Amino acid sequence: MDFDELQNTIRTIEAKVPGVLSDAGSIDALRSLESGILGKKGSLGSLIATIGRYPQDQRGKVGQAINAAKGRIKGLIEKRFKEFQAADAAEEVDAAAAFDPTLPGDPIPMGAVHPVTAVQWEVERIFERLGFTVEAGPAMETEYNNFDALNIPDTHPARDMQDTFWLTNGMVLRTHTSPVQHRSMLKFGAPLRVIAPGQCFRYETVDASHDTTFYQIEGLLIDRDISIPNLIAMAKLLLNEVMQREVKVRVRPGYFPFVEPGIEIDMNCEICDGVGCATCKQSGWVEVLPAGMVHPSVLKAGGIDTEQYTGFAFGLGLTRLAMMKYGIRDIRVLNTGDLRALVSPRRLGGVLLC
Ligand code: PHE
C-alpha cells in the first residue's frame, strides 16, 4: 500500500478506538484491547513491520505517522485506565464509610467455670496455705470404704441415713467423700492433712436444697493434741475466707458413726440473711459443715496409732457453699447445664428462681 492508503488505514483504526474502549468493562479487558491494537500483531502495531517495504525516502514519514497514531491511542487507553482506577478507589471509600467502628462487634464466646468449681478452687487454695494436700477418690466405691471402714457395719442403722445407689457389681456410688479419709490414712499414715473434693450421690427426693448428685470436700487432720476448738477455728476461717466477710455460724451436736463427738456447723443463710426461705427450709441456717473428732475405730481401720494421734474430719457441703456464695436459691440449677449459671450465677438465682 502507498502512503495515502496507509494514512487511511490508520484513520480507520483510530476511528474505532473510542468505541471499543468505552465498551471495555474491566482493566483486564482494557489490557487485551491494548495488545490487540498496539501489540506486534495488533491492528496498528503490525504496521510497523511494513515500514521496510516503503521506498527509502518515505520510510521516515511512514514511521512518524504510525508512531503518532500509536501515541494518541496510548493516551486514550491510559485515560480509560485511570477511569477504572478512580472507580475502584471510590468503591473503597464507600466501603470504609459503611464501616461503623462504634457498632458492637460479633460476640466472642467466653469460657467460665462452674460456680461449684470456682468455690472448690478457692477452698483448695485456702487449705493448701494451711499445709493440706488435695486428694481424690473414685466416685464408684467399695461398700467397705464407703461404710465399714467408717464404722458403719452392715447392721448399723446409720446406713439408712444415706440412701445409696447400689451398683450391679456390688459397689456403690459413694454417698460422701468420707471414704477418702480411709484411703488417705492408708496411703500417708499420720500426721496427716488432706482435703478431698468430689462428687457424691444419694438416692433421695430432689428439692431446692437436695439433689441426687452433689459435691463435698472432705477434710482430715490427724496429729498430736488435736481437739474440737482447732476444728471450729478452722471452720470459721474457711467460711469467712470463702464468703469474704465475717460469717455468722452456729455449732450443734450431730451424729455420724465415724466421728465422736460429732457436730454440725451451720452458717447464716445468705439467700434470706437468716430470715427464713425455701432454701434454708425457713430456719435461717444452712448445714454446710458436718464434722467431728475422728472415731478411734476409723483411725484403727486406717492403721493410725490411737495412743499418739487424734484428728478431726469434716464433710464440707461444697454445692451448698457455692449456692450461698453466688446467691443460687435452687440446687437443681447447678446440675442442669444451663450456661447462664456459669456467666452470672447471681442473676440466674435471682431472676429465674424467685
Ligand atoms: N460424710 C458425712 C456426710 O456426708 C459428713 C461428715 C464428714 C461428717 C466428716 C463428719 C465428718 O453426711
Side-chain angles (χ1 to χ4, degrees):
M1 87 181 114
D2 65 20
F3 184 62
D4 284 343
E5 283 168 347
L6 174 73
Q7 281 187 312
N8 272 337
T9 307
I10 291 174
R11 262 195 294 277
T12 315
I13 294 169
E14 271 195 273
K16 285 188 195 151
V17 169
V20 289
L21 285 186
S22 72
D23 285 350
S26 68
I27 288 186
D28 282 349
L30 205 55
R31 288 278 169 240
S32 72
L33 272 176
E34 185 177 23
S35 70
I37 302 168
L38 305 179
K40 255 192 190 159
K41 293 181 179 159
S43 50
L44 188 80
S46 60
L47 294 178
I48 292 178
T50 67
I51 292 177
R53 289 186 213 151
Y54 290 85
Q56 190 74 37
D57 61 339
Q58 287 190 13
R59 289 181 192 169
K61 59 180 182 180
V62 168
Q64 274 171 15
I66 297 172
N67 274 331
K70 195 174 169 181
R72 286 189 297 273
I73 294 173
K74 231 188 162 99
L76 291 175
I77 292 175
E78 224 31 60
K79 199 172 141 222
R80 185 80 178 110
F81 184 68
K82 290 214 168 91
E83 280 171 21
F84 276 117
Q85 280 183 324
D88 279 358
E91 232 170 70
E92 270 170 37
V93 170
D94 280 355
F99 176 74
D100 181 351
T102 64
L103 285 176
D106 292 336
I108 299 167
M110 298 244 292
V113 290
H114 192 275
V116 169
T117 310
V119 177
Q120 177 187 325
W121 288 348
E122 229 172 297
V123 173
E124 286 176 3
R125 247 173 279 131
I126 295 165
F127 278 103
E128 276 163 1
R129 280 206 322 263
L130 298 172
F132 284 69
T133 29
V134 182
E135 275 293 297
M140 184 170 74
E141 260 297 3
T142 61
E143 179 184 0
Y144 176 83
N145 285 350
N146 195 78
F147 293 118
D148 302 74
L150 293 165
N151 198 30
I152 319 175
D154 204 7
T155 52
H156 201 291
R159 284 211 180 188
D160 298 337
M161 282 166 68
Q162 302 183 353
D163 293 315
T164 309
F165 286 111
W166 290 90
L167 302 175
T168 47
N169 62 3
M171 295 174 84
V172 299
L173 288 182
R174 67 175 170 194
T175 56
H176 50 184
T177 43
S178 298
V180 188
Q181 285 189 34
H182 180 65
R183 289 174 172 274
S184 304
M185 287 180 213
L186 295 181
K187 186 169 169 189
F188 300 110
L192 178 60
R193 290 174 190 214
V194 286
I195 57 165
Q199 215 169 7
C200 307
F201 310 87
R202 285 188 203 175
Y203 182 54
E204 62 185 349
T205 313
V206 173
D207 64 23
S209 51
H210 295 85
D211 203 344
T212 50
T213 301
F214 55 97
Y215 287 81
Q216 291 187 336
I217 298 185
E218 195 75 9
L220 176 65
L221 187 150
I222 299 174
D223 213 325
R224 293 170 210 273
D225 304 324
I226 297 299
S227 61
I228 288 276
N230 302 126
L231 167 58
I232 294 174
M234 188 227 61
K236 280 186 173 168
L237 177 120
L238 168 67
L239 296 176
N240 290 348
E241 289 243 353
V242 171
M243 300 304 291
Q244 296 280 293
R245 64 194 155 79
E246 187 84 22
V247 178
K248 234 196 289 175
V249 296
R250 73 173 183 187
V251 180
R252 297 177 289 128
Y255 174 70
F256 305 93
F258 33 92
V259 285
E260 181 57 41
I263 59 174
E264 290 271 9
I265 300 172
D266 302 339
M267 69 182 277
N268 182 52
C269 178
E270 300 292 309
I271 306 288
C272 59
D273 199 19
V275 175
C277 64
T279 310
C280 62
K281 298 213 167 54
Q282 312 305 330
S283 71
W285 295 97
V286 177
E287 295 174 14
V288 282
L289 242 155
M293 299 302 296
V294 183
H295 196 288
S297 324
V298 177
L299 291 174
K300 279 185 196 137
I304 306 290
D305 180 354
T306 51
E307 295 295 318
Q308 294 199 55
Y309 293 105
T310 49
F312 66 68
F314 59 85
L316 172 70
L318 179 57
T319 304
R320 285 201 188 152
L321 189 57
M323 290 167 70
M324 292 297 112
K325 168 131 184 166
Y326 292 108
I328 297 169
R329 290 156 195 268
D330 196 312
I331 191 172
R332 287 165 285 197
V333 170
L334 293 170
N335 289 339
T336 53
D338 189 329
L339 294 183
R340 287 171 301 172
L342 302 186
V343 179
S344 175
R346 196 171 274 288
R347 191 188 47 167
L348 189 65
V351 176
L352 285 189
L353 302 163
C354 60

